[in-house]
Amino acid sequence: MGYEYKRILTIQDISCVGQCSLTVALPILSACGIETAILPSAVLSTHTAGFSGFTFRDLTDDMPAIKAHWQKEGIKFDGIYTGYLGSTKQIGYVKDILDTMGKDGSVKIVDPAFADNGKLYPAFDSVYVDAMKTLCPSADILLPNITEAAFLAGVEYREAYDESYIKELLAELSKLGCATIVLTGVSYAADKTGVVVYENGQLSYYEHRRIAKGCHGTGDVYASAFTGALVRGKSLFAAAKIAADYTVRCIENTQNNPEHWYGVKFETALPELIGMLEQ
Ligand code: PXL
């Protein structure tokens, strides 16, 4: 093993069916060679984007006892990565975990995971968005899409934009207290999209081809691969690029299957992700 073995904690929901959240994060992080502990934020029968009548069990009230047990056992993490959370109250517990459960030098990655395509996911409202703002100062890296960035920054969401809009969005967002932002889904041309890495006021952009069909769950695939690559020791920009290239491969695997509308076939591309990490 030519790299340091690390342990991370990921906090997000279990959507039993639907290829998102923990059912995506756990296999991707494991494939990256990282020990992955989980804290489920809620258990749902499916995800909430396209299925109706899903069940939802909020696990907010289990969190303090889980944390207390880990503290008693002396358990700490090299990284903490949060995604879709169960409630506004839970965000307070998650902030406390980010602030106290990392080892010295650990990395905290927050994917706000509450909106896409200009709209909040069904379970969320502006109170939730305000609570999510309080997580930003506890994150080393914030990983929003443009919709989430606009909601958090209080900037109008736009379908079409230029670089000056993206600069303004990032400048406003960084005022919430997170210096490093990886903004996904930044597209300046119809057949291209990409990711902007914003670090200490400097922007770098990785542009790649855009596949017309947008699939559900790509945000979780991206965030998990990014976290895995970063914790494996890749630089911020290299991790952002590897995650983008892997996500594109996953969408390519899925795009010709209309019955697979609910998620991305990320599993068969895992060997390629592992290959990218070894380069
Ligand atoms: O992929 C984000 C996500 C995660 N978890 C649940 C969701 C969604 C998006 O809709 O509904 C439960």
Side-chain angles (χ1 to χ4, degrees):
M1 200 178 79
Y3 61 91
E4 201 187 332
Y5 187 68
K6 300 244 175 98
R7 175 206 274 159
I8 79 160
L9 168 66
T10 183
I11 311 176
Q12 44 189 315
D13 71 281
I14 298 175
S15 283
C16 299
V17 170
Q19 282 177 313
C20 68
S21 309
L22 282 179
T23 65
V24 166
L26 198 45
I28 291 178
L29 290 163
S30 300
C32 292
I34 296 157
E35 177 186 346
T36 307
I38 62 167
L39 180 51
S41 57
V43 180
L44 295 84
S45 49
T46 64
H47 64 62
T48 68
F51 294 101
S52 55
F54 47 83
T55 69
F56 184 97
R57 180 166 304 274
D58 175 18
L59 297 179
T60 299
D61 293 337
D62 292 40
M63 284 195 170
I66 291 173
K67 182 199 161 182
H69 181 215
W70 287 347
Q71 282 189 309
K72 194 165 142 271
E73 296 288 337
I75 293 167
K76 289 226 167 183
F77 303 97
D78 297 299
I80 304 177
Y81 148 43
T82 73
Y84 188 105
L85 302 179
S87 68
T88 301
K89 178 180 170 195
Q90 187 178 99
I91 292 177
Y93 293 145
V94 170
K95 184 175 174 63
D96 172 57
I97 289 171
L98 285 168
D99 293 344
T100 58
M101 297 301 283
K103 293 183 191 165
D104 286 347
S106 62
V107 63
K108 324 274 169 43
I109 298 166
V110 170
D111 176 353
F114 62 70
D116 204 1
N117 301 313
K119 289 202 284 288
L120 295 174
Y121 294 146
F124 300 131
D125 57 17
S126 63
V127 178
Y128 186 87
V129 176
D130 284 343
M132 187 54 72
K133 290 179 192 169
T134 67
L135 272 195
C136 296
S138 298
D140 298 307
I141 303 171
L142 189 68
L143 216 91
N145 58 38
I146 294 191
T147 306
E148 289 155 351
F151 272 107
L152 288 170
V155 168
E156 184 203 354
Y157 170 78
R158 290 207 206 141
E159 295 269 335
Y161 45 79
D162 57 13
E163 211 185 326
S164 66
Y165 171 79
I166 295 298
K167 281 188 175 153
E168 187 205 330
L169 189 58
L170 288 165
E172 286 304 310
L173 191 53
S174 66
K175 289 183 188 162
L176 292 176
C178 182
T180 303
I181 300 165
V182 175
L183 182 66
T184 59
V186 179
S187 170
Y188 298 122
D191 58 342
K192 301 264 186 212
T193 187
V195 46
V196 172
V197 175
Y198 180 84
E199 202 178 12
N200 305 318
Q202 297 287 104
L203 271 79
S204 1
Y205 183 47
Y206 178 61
E207 189 176 58
H208 56 84
R209 119 189 146 71
R210 175 165 188 256
I211 301 167
K213 185 186 173 302
C215 297
H216 183 269
T218 50
D220 297 339
V221 168
Y222 185 89
S224 304
F226 170 80
T227 302
L230 191 80
V231 173
R232 259 290 283 272
K234 298 290 177 188
S235 71
L236 187 65
F237 191 80
K241 177 180 182 304
I242 287 171
D245 292 342
Y246 173 61
T247 305
V248 169
R249 290 292 302 117
C250 295
I251 300 171
E252 278 171 348
N253 284 345
T254 317
Q255 62 179 338
N256 296 323
N257 276 90
E259 73 280 11
H260 206 98
W261 58 269
Y262 52 86
V264 261
K265 296 181 183 173
F266 67 94
E267 302 87 348
T268 48
L270 281 173
E272 291 172 61
L273 174 62
I274 295 167
M276 293 178 214
L277 293 173
E278 279 161 4
Q279 272 165 27

PDB file of all heavy atoms in Angstrom, residues 13 15 20-21 44 46-49 84 113 121 216-217 220, ligand 1:
ATOM      1  N   ASP A  13     -28.012  10.487   4.453  1.00  0.00           N
ATOM      2  CA  ASP A  13     -29.114   9.535   4.644  1.00  0.00           C
ATOM      3  C   ASP A  13     -28.835   8.189   3.983  1.00  0.00           C
ATOM      4  O   ASP A  13     -27.976   8.064   3.118  1.00  0.00           O
ATOM      5  CB  ASP A  13     -30.417  10.110   4.066  1.00  0.00           C
ATOM      6  CG  ASP A  13     -30.399  10.148   2.557  1.00  0.00           C
ATOM      7  OD1 ASP A  13     -29.784  11.065   1.997  1.00  0.00           O
ATOM      8  OD2 ASP A  13     -30.955   9.217   1.928  1.00  0.00           O
ATOM      9  N   SER A  15     -30.923   6.194   1.602  1.00  0.00           N
ATOM     10  CA  SER A  15     -32.089   5.999   0.737  1.00  0.00           C
ATOM     11  C   SER A  15     -31.980   4.555   0.284  1.00  0.00           C
ATOM     12  O   SER A  15     -31.070   4.209  -0.476  1.00  0.00           O
ATOM     13  CB  SER A  15     -32.052   6.942  -0.468  1.00  0.00           C
ATOM     14  OG  SER A  15     -32.425   8.242  -0.076  1.00  0.00           O
ATOM     15  N   CYS A  20     -28.105   6.876  -4.205  1.00  0.00           N
ATOM     16  CA  CYS A  20     -27.630   8.195  -3.777  1.00  0.00           C
ATOM     17  C   CYS A  20     -27.144   8.079  -2.334  1.00  0.00           C
ATOM     18  O   CYS A  20     -27.220   7.006  -1.730  1.00  0.00           O
ATOM     19  CB  CYS A  20     -28.727   9.259  -3.917  1.00  0.00           C
ATOM     20  SG  CYS A  20     -30.096   9.048  -2.786  1.00  0.00           S
ATOM     21  N   SER A  21     -26.637   9.169  -1.813  1.00  0.00           N
ATOM     22  CA  SER A  21     -26.222   9.248  -0.410  1.00  0.00           C
ATOM     23  C   SER A  21     -25.326   8.076  -0.008  1.00  0.00           C
ATOM     24  O   SER A  21     -24.389   7.761  -0.705  1.00  0.00           O
ATOM     25  CB  SER A  21     -27.452   9.318   0.493  1.00  0.00           C
ATOM     26  OG  SER A  21     -28.303  10.319   0.038  1.00  0.00           O
ATOM     27  N   LEU A  44     -34.756   6.418   4.388  1.00  0.00           N
ATOM     28  CA  LEU A  44     -35.905   6.606   3.495  1.00  0.00           C
ATOM     29  C   LEU A  44     -36.051   5.351   2.623  1.00  0.00           C
ATOM     30  O   LEU A  44     -35.055   4.692   2.317  1.00  0.00           O
ATOM     31  CB  LEU A  44     -35.684   7.789   2.553  1.00  0.00           C
ATOM     32  CG  LEU A  44     -35.580   9.192   3.136  1.00  0.00           C
ATOM     33  CD1 LEU A  44     -34.172   9.496   3.627  1.00  0.00           C
ATOM     34  CD2 LEU A  44     -35.971  10.230   2.086  1.00  0.00           C
ATOM     35  N   THR A  46     -36.868   5.388  -0.507  1.00  0.00           N
ATOM     36  CA  THR A  46     -36.219   5.809  -1.762  1.00  0.00           C
ATOM     37  C   THR A  46     -35.770   7.256  -1.559  1.00  0.00           C
ATOM     38  O   THR A  46     -36.161   7.878  -0.567  1.00  0.00           O
ATOM     39  CB  THR A  46     -37.207   5.840  -2.948  1.00  0.00           C
ATOM     40  OG1 THR A  46     -38.211   6.839  -2.675  1.00  0.00           O
ATOM     41  CG2 THR A  46     -37.875   4.490  -3.182  1.00  0.00           C
ATOM     42  N   HIS A  47     -35.059   7.811  -2.525  1.00  0.00           N
ATOM     43  CA  HIS A  47     -34.813   9.256  -2.451  1.00  0.00           C
ATOM     44  C   HIS A  47     -36.089  10.015  -2.803  1.00  0.00           C
ATOM     45  O   HIS A  47     -37.122   9.395  -3.129  1.00  0.00           O
ATOM     46  CB  HIS A  47     -33.602   9.667  -3.294  1.00  0.00           C
ATOM     47  CG  HIS A  47     -33.708   9.453  -4.773  1.00  0.00           C
ATOM     48  ND1 HIS A  47     -34.642  10.085  -5.551  1.00  0.00           N
ATOM     49  CD2 HIS A  47     -32.972   8.680  -5.608  1.00  0.00           C
ATOM     50  CE1 HIS A  47     -34.476   9.720  -6.806  1.00  0.00           C
ATOM     51  NE2 HIS A  47     -33.475   8.862  -6.870  1.00  0.00           N
ATOM     52  N   THR A  48     -36.026  11.332  -2.695  1.00  0.00           N
ATOM     53  CA  THR A  48     -37.265  12.127  -2.766  1.00  0.00           C
ATOM     54  C   THR A  48     -37.472  12.780  -4.135  1.00  0.00           C
ATOM     55  O   THR A  48     -38.453  13.501  -4.333  1.00  0.00           O
ATOM     56  CB  THR A  48     -37.248  13.238  -1.689  1.00  0.00           C
ATOM     57  OG1 THR A  48     -36.234  14.201  -2.023  1.00  0.00           O
ATOM     58  CG2 THR A  48     -36.983  12.685  -0.311  1.00  0.00           C
ATOM     59  N   ALA A  49     -36.545  12.558  -5.073  1.00  0.00           N
ATOM     60  CA  ALA A  49     -36.618  13.262  -6.357  1.00  0.00           C
ATOM     61  C   ALA A  49     -37.169  12.349  -7.445  1.00  0.00           C
ATOM     62  O   ALA A  49     -36.407  11.713  -8.169  1.00  0.00           O
ATOM     63  CB  ALA A  49     -35.231  13.775  -6.737  1.00  0.00           C
ATOM     64  N   TYR A  84     -26.730  14.892   2.548  1.00  0.00           N
ATOM     65  CA  TYR A  84     -28.168  15.136   2.805  1.00  0.00           C
ATOM     66  C   TYR A  84     -28.478  14.866   4.280  1.00  0.00           C
ATOM     67  O   TYR A  84     -28.249  13.760   4.777  1.00  0.00           O
ATOM     68  CB  TYR A  84     -28.967  14.200   1.912  1.00  0.00           C
ATOM     69  CG  TYR A  84     -30.454  14.402   1.873  1.00  0.00           C
ATOM     70  CD1 TYR A  84     -31.063  15.008   0.770  1.00  0.00           C
ATOM     71  CD2 TYR A  84     -31.278  13.944   2.907  1.00  0.00           C
ATOM     72  CE1 TYR A  84     -32.448  15.161   0.703  1.00  0.00           C
ATOM     73  CE2 TYR A  84     -32.658  14.099   2.846  1.00  0.00           C
ATOM     74  CZ  TYR A  84     -33.229  14.704   1.744  1.00  0.00           C
ATOM     75  OH  TYR A  84     -34.597  14.855   1.679  1.00  0.00           O
ATOM     76  N   ALA A 113     -26.273  19.672  -0.324  1.00  0.00           N
ATOM     77  CA  ALA A 113     -27.237  18.619  -0.716  1.00  0.00           C
ATOM     78  C   ALA A 113     -28.696  18.945  -0.388  1.00  0.00           C
ATOM     79  O   ALA A 113     -29.398  18.113   0.185  1.00  0.00           O
ATOM     80  CB  ALA A 113     -26.810  17.280  -0.084  1.00  0.00           C
ATOM     81  N   TYR A 121     -34.990  20.610  -2.758  1.00  0.00           N
ATOM     82  CA  TYR A 121     -35.573  19.259  -2.743  1.00  0.00           C
ATOM     83  C   TYR A 121     -36.841  19.304  -1.896  1.00  0.00           C
ATOM     84  O   TYR A 121     -36.979  20.159  -0.992  1.00  0.00           O
ATOM     85  CB  TYR A 121     -34.581  18.255  -2.134  1.00  0.00           C
ATOM     86  CG  TYR A 121     -33.319  18.042  -2.949  1.00  0.00           C
ATOM     87  CD1 TYR A 121     -32.105  17.783  -2.325  1.00  0.00           C
ATOM     88  CD2 TYR A 121     -33.337  18.075  -4.343  1.00  0.00           C
ATOM     89  CE1 TYR A 121     -30.935  17.565  -3.048  1.00  0.00           C
ATOM     90  CE2 TYR A 121     -32.168  17.859  -5.073  1.00  0.00           C
ATOM     91  CZ  TYR A 121     -30.976  17.609  -4.425  1.00  0.00           C
ATOM     92  OH  TYR A 121     -29.825  17.401  -5.144  1.00  0.00           O
ATOM     93  N   HIS A 216     -30.060  11.814 -11.904  1.00  0.00           N
ATOM     94  CA  HIS A 216     -30.142  12.019 -10.466  1.00  0.00           C
ATOM     95  C   HIS A 216     -28.965  11.322  -9.783  1.00  0.00           C
ATOM     96  O   HIS A 216     -28.518  10.270 -10.227  1.00  0.00           O
ATOM     97  CB  HIS A 216     -31.469  11.462  -9.929  1.00  0.00           C
ATOM     98  CG  HIS A 216     -31.602  11.723  -8.475  1.00  0.00           C
ATOM     99  ND1 HIS A 216     -31.161  10.834  -7.529  1.00  0.00           N
ATOM    100  CD2 HIS A 216     -32.037  12.811  -7.814  1.00  0.00           C
ATOM    101  CE1 HIS A 216     -31.358  11.370  -6.332  1.00  0.00           C
ATOM    102  NE2 HIS A 216     -31.885  12.569  -6.477  1.00  0.00           N
ATOM    103  N   GLY A 217     -28.474  11.917  -8.698  1.00  0.00           N
ATOM    104  CA  GLY A 217     -27.435  11.247  -7.906  1.00  0.00           C
ATOM    105  C   GLY A 217     -26.014  11.596  -8.310  1.00  0.00           C
ATOM    106  O   GLY A 217     -25.065  11.179  -7.650  1.00  0.00           O
ATOM    107  N   ASP A 220     -23.899  13.281  -5.548  1.00  0.00           N
ATOM    108  CA  ASP A 220     -23.342  12.402  -4.514  1.00  0.00           C
ATOM    109  C   ASP A 220     -22.155  11.608  -5.047  1.00  0.00           C
ATOM    110  O   ASP A 220     -21.182  11.375  -4.330  1.00  0.00           O
ATOM    111  CB  ASP A 220     -24.421  11.446  -3.991  1.00  0.00           C
ATOM    112  CG  ASP A 220     -25.554  12.190  -3.307  1.00  0.00           C
ATOM    113  OD1 ASP A 220     -25.347  13.347  -2.892  1.00  0.00           O
ATOM    114  OD2 ASP A 220     -26.657  11.625  -3.198  1.00  0.00           O
TER     115      ASP A 220
HETATM  116  O1  PXL B   1     -28.762  13.075  -4.092  1.00  0.00           O
HETATM  117  C1  PXL B   1     -29.198  13.938  -3.119  1.00  0.00           C
HETATM  118  C2  PXL B   1     -30.264  13.309  -2.292  1.00  0.00           C
HETATM  119  C3  PXL B   1     -29.915  12.534  -1.209  1.00  0.00           C
HETATM  120  N1  PXL B   1     -30.830  11.958  -0.401  1.00  0.00           N
HETATM  121  C4  PXL B   1     -32.135  12.101  -0.645  1.00  0.00           C
HETATM  122  C5  PXL B   1     -32.566  12.860  -1.738  1.00  0.00           C
HETATM  123  C6  PXL B   1     -31.612  13.487  -2.572  1.00  0.00           C
HETATM  124  C7  PXL B   1     -32.048  14.291  -3.703  1.00  0.00           C
HETATM  125  O2  PXL B   1     -33.175  14.448  -3.996  1.00  0.00           O
HETATM  126  O3  PXL B   1     -33.871  12.966  -1.966  1.00  0.00           O
HETATM  127  C8  PXL B   1     -33.123  11.454   0.269  1.00  0.00           C
END
